[in-house]
Amino acid sequence: GRSWKPNLLVPVESADELRGSFGLIHDLTSPKGAVNIMGIATDLPAVELREDLGIAGSHFLDEDVFATVSVIETHTYAAGFLAGMGALRGAFLRPNIVYLTMPGDAERTEEARAVVDRAPDYDLGIVLFADHPRAGIGRRRTINVWVRTPDWESAHEVAELDLALLLAYQLQRNWGGRIRLLTAVGSEEAQEEATVNLARLVDLARIPTSEVHAVIASFDDAVANAPQADISILGLPDHIDFEWAAQTMVRTRSACLFVRGSGRESAAA
């Protein structure tokens, strides 16, 4: 029994935004997690949005995922998100992760950046989903988790990695798939050390059916030449760079989850 449970906060401006992510959100939260759908009514009338999202929420409940719906009327997405977060502070099932999809235009990119920047104030981790335009999530089997940590001593304390491993474990459990832990290194010596440390990480986090790969290459090259996965999970840089995220998704040839921990997660718990 892992004590940590994913409680996703999903801010959306329409029910359509949820549709493309339904399966993934389900697989990230089932069976013990929850989804808090936060409707941000910037264009649609709030009543209409509440109705649409209520239907989406009932679909999660049908699939045994606890879901709640709230709607905030607001002028901008970011302002709505912050108002909603203030309201959720005392919620029974406080969200611990914000789930975002890749923003489609410049305005939405700024809004998403504002949300990401404020998430730590609410002890929220971040998951940014970049769906692959052609491959989608593929066969829901293999999960590549990319580790970027030169300092192995503190590896299990790195919030990014904890959240990446916890989410990979959730997906693996629901897909019956396998997890690969990968990292890019600069030399054969580093490769040996990294392989040992990745294996230790697998033990520490009690990850079943997994393999480890330490690749001698730059990070970008390693990502481009790695064994194919249905989804790749990578840490999100401190300064969020959506352009980099989009390019990385193209390099992996798969859907990607970019994650940033809140520091409250522990994969070894």
Side-chain angles (χ1 to χ4, degrees), residues 121-133:
D121 302 345
Y122 298 96
D123 292 327
L124 286 165
I126 290 164
V127 168
L128 172 67
F129 176 51
D131 200 4
H132 193 282

Side-chain angles (χ1 to χ4, degrees), residues 170-201:
Q170 279 287 124
L171 291 178
Q172 181 191 44
R173 221 169 33 165
N174 285 314
W175 295 356
R178 64 187 302 111
I179 293 175
R180 280 192 204 105
L181 238 58
L182 308 102
T183 193
V185 294
S187 67
E188 281 186 19
E189 195 183 2
Q191 186 180 38
E192 272 178 49
E193 190 193 357
T195 305
V196 169
N197 284 309
L198 288 175
R200 200 164 65 198
L201 210 52

Side-chain angles (χ1 to χ4, degrees), residues 209-225:
T209 53
S210 52
E211 38 183 274
V212 300
H213 297 260
V215 187
I216 303 177
S218 72
F219 185 77
D220 287 349
D221 286 348
V223 165
N225 296 306

Side-chain angles (χ1 to χ4, degrees), residues 36-211:
N36 193 306
I37 303 165
M38 184 194 282
I40 298 179
T42 47
D43 312 328
L44 269 183
V47 176
E48 202 179 312
L49 184 56
R50 187 183 301 277
E51 199 171 301
D52 290 351
L53 293 178
I55 294 167
S58 68
H59 291 158
F60 280 108
L61 292 166
D62 289 344
E63 301 267 346
D64 296 328
V65 170
F66 183 76
T68 57
V69 174
S70 55
V71 173
I72 311 279
E73 278 188 272
T74 179
H75 292 299
T76 75
Y77 175 83
F81 171 79
L82 295 173
M85 276 319 302
L88 281 170
R89 270 224 155 112
F92 167 59
L93 272 178
R94 270 195 82 241
N96 51 18
I97 300 171
V98 189
Y99 177 96
L100 302 170
T101 50
M102 287 288 280
D105 56 46
E107 186 188 349
R108 194 60 187 270
T109 298
E110 285 318 300
E111 301 269 345
R113 181 169 281 120
V115 167
V116 168
D117 288 344
R118 291 299 302 276
D121 302 345
Y122 298 96
D123 292 327
L124 286 165
I126 290 164
V127 168
L128 172 67
F129 176 51
D131 200 4
H132 193 282
R134 287 187 306 281
I137 301 184
R139 294 167 55 237
R140 288 182 150 72
R141 281 276 183 278
T142 323
I143 304 141
N144 279 359
V145 179
W146 284 93
V147 181
R148 287 182 91 154
T149 169
D151 178 11
W152 287 104
E153 288 313 298
S154 65
H156 59 274
E157 291 159 19
V158 176
E160 242 78 305
L161 187 54
D162 273 332
L163 186 53
L165 290 173
L166 287 162
L167 294 175
Y169 178 75
Q170 279 287 124
L171 291 178
Q172 181 191 44
R173 221 169 33 165
N174 285 314
W175 295 356
R178 64 187 302 111
I179 293 175
R180 280 192 204 105
L181 238 58
L182 308 102
T183 193
V185 294
S187 67
E188 281 186 19
E189 195 183 2
Q191 186 180 38
E192 272 178 49
E193 190 193 357
T195 305
V196 169
N197 284 309
L198 288 175
R200 200 164 65 198
L201 210 52
V202 164
D203 286 345
L204 197 69
R206 302 198 299 281
I207 299 171
T209 53
S210 52
E211 38 183 274

